[in-house]
Amino acid sequence: MEYVLLLRGINVGGKNKVEMSPLKLYLQDMGLTNVSSYINSGNLFFESNEPIDRLHTLIDQLLKTHYTFGIPFSLLSKSQLEQEVDHLPQWWKEDYARKDVLFYTKDVDKTEVQSFIQHTELRFEKAYCGDLATFWVKEDERSFLKTAYHKELLKAPFYRLVTIRNGRTFDYILDKLGISYQG
């Protein structure tokens, strides 16, 4: 089965340095196959016959063994992503100034995210809470500083428990996994 591993908060501003080459070797040593990465921000792809819960435990142990700082992550199977894409609202597939996908790590309480979206005034933006992530679009770059995304999201308790990818990276992930999507 094909998987994508999305690490949070690495290689940002010189902090939490994680080189992809050694990490890929660690994953291969764990028995994962066809390990590859995309850019240096923690987007890794691999194949494994292990169940996702077991993989999650193994990857968590691997990261704790090799890195002195915590690395939250989201681990998703191709089939999970296919289901998520099938349920995206039509507006996600339209052209917007900015698109972001906030992937949940295992510690995220999805009801907290849903409550945040429901009780936050969205201006110049739209948000959809899926099973794996929240999909957020900003209608206009000029109004970005007025959005809840900019003003409220960073203060939300769950913010440190999501790993964010922009729309282009999301499209790349889907393409790499062979998931059909018109985004």
Side-chain angles (χ1 to χ4, degrees):
M1 181 174 291
E2 295 176 81
Y3 292 92
V4 61
L5 172 63
L6 305 171
L7 305 180
R8 184 195 190 285
I10 64 159
N11 303 333
V12 179
K15 295 183 179 182
N16 298 339
K17 295 286 282 176
V18 176
E19 292 182 35
M20 292 299 106
S21 294
L23 179 55
K24 289 189 288 187
L25 291 175
Y26 299 148
L27 293 169
Q28 288 171 352
D29 289 345
M30 228 176 70
L32 307 180
T33 58
N34 296 320
V35 178
S36 65
S37 62
Y38 171 66
I39 60 180
N40 203 34
S41 60
N43 306 290
L44 295 120
F45 303 88
F46 62 86
E47 294 179 19
S48 176
N49 291 326
E50 292 284 345
I52 195 165
D53 290 341
R54 173 102 172 107
L55 286 171
H56 198 283
T57 300
L58 292 171
I59 291 168
D60 190 43
Q61 291 171 350
L62 177 140
L63 294 174
K64 287 176 180 173
T65 298
H66 292 284
Y67 302 98
T68 59
F69 47 89
I71 304 175
F73 64 90
S74 183
L75 177 62
L76 311 164
S77 71
K78 177 181 177 177
S79 61
Q80 287 176 310
L81 276 169
E82 286 172 327
Q83 289 177 3
E84 188 83 339
V85 167
D86 286 346
H87 293 95
L88 286 175
Q90 185 59 40
W91 55 257
W92 176 260
K93 298 173 184 175
E94 297 170 6
D95 190 30
Y96 284 94
R98 185 171 170 160
K99 291 181 177 183
D100 287 304
V101 183
L102 291 68
F103 287 98
Y104 310 139
T105 62
K106 76 175 184 92
D107 296 324
V108 169
D109 178 353
K110 293 179 203 172
T111 59
E112 183 181 348
V113 179
Q114 291 168 337
S115 177
F116 174 83
I117 299 294
Q118 290 170 350
H119 296 97
T120 301
E121 181 183 356
L122 300 179
R123 297 176 25 182
F124 314 107
E125 61 202 311
K126 295 178 185 176
Y128 165 75
C129 293
D131 288 331
L132 306 174
T134 292
F135 297 80
W136 207 309
V137 298
K138 280 64 85 188
E139 297 172 359
D140 182 353
E141 279 297 330
R142 292 174 302 213
S143 60
F144 178 68
L145 297 178
K146 298 175 187 175
T147 63
Y149 186 95
H150 176 74
K151 290 182 160 191
E152 304 296 326
L153 180 63
L154 297 176
K155 300 175 204 170
F158 64 84
Y159 177 74
R160 295 197 177 277
L161 301 174
V162 296
T163 183
I164 302 172
R165 300 300 187 270
N166 66 35
R168 272 182 263 125
T169 299
F170 177 69
D171 290 346
Y172 179 87
I173 290 167
L174 297 181
D175 187 54
K176 175 81 173 164
L177 293 173
I179 298 174
S180 176
Y181 162 72
Q182 298 297 319

